[in-house]
Amino acid sequence: RPTDRPLGWVRIAARREGPVEVGPNAPGRGAWVCSRECFDTAVGRGAFARALRRRVTGTELEALRAKLPGTNF
């Protein structure tokens, strides 16, 4: 089974306590997103809270959206 990160995708990760971070080596539980549309869909479904196993605030989500690279990663 391949264990390398998906090419062109962005990892969002968080520990139970502390900030939510963007980056392939960010510490903590993570979720991968393939585009801004994918990010917005995940936000709408509450997928980040489930994947990261912690509450993700609206402020954190807006900060993450601002950190994401261009329209299509």
Side-chain angles (χ1 to χ4, degrees):
R1 166 180 143 177
T3 57
D4 199 11
R5 65 177 176 247
L7 293 176
W9 290 45
V10 174
R11 183 170 187 264
I12 296 172
R15 295 182 179 172
R16 286 207 180 265
E17 313 257 331
V20 179
E21 300 177 34
V22 174
N25 299 320
R29 292 196 53 86
W32 292 90
V33 293
C34 61
S35 65
R36 285 187 183 267
E37 292 84 18
C38 180
F39 177 86
D40 292 336
T41 299
V43 168
R45 293 180 177 175
F48 289 116
R50 283 192 306 276
L52 303 177
R53 294 187 184 167
R54 71 180 279 259
R55 184 171 172 265
V56 182
T57 66
T59 304
E60 288 176 315
L61 291 170
E62 288 304 318
L64 286 172
R65 185 177 281 114
K67 290 180 185 177
L68 293 175
T71 306
N72 295 317
F73 315 152

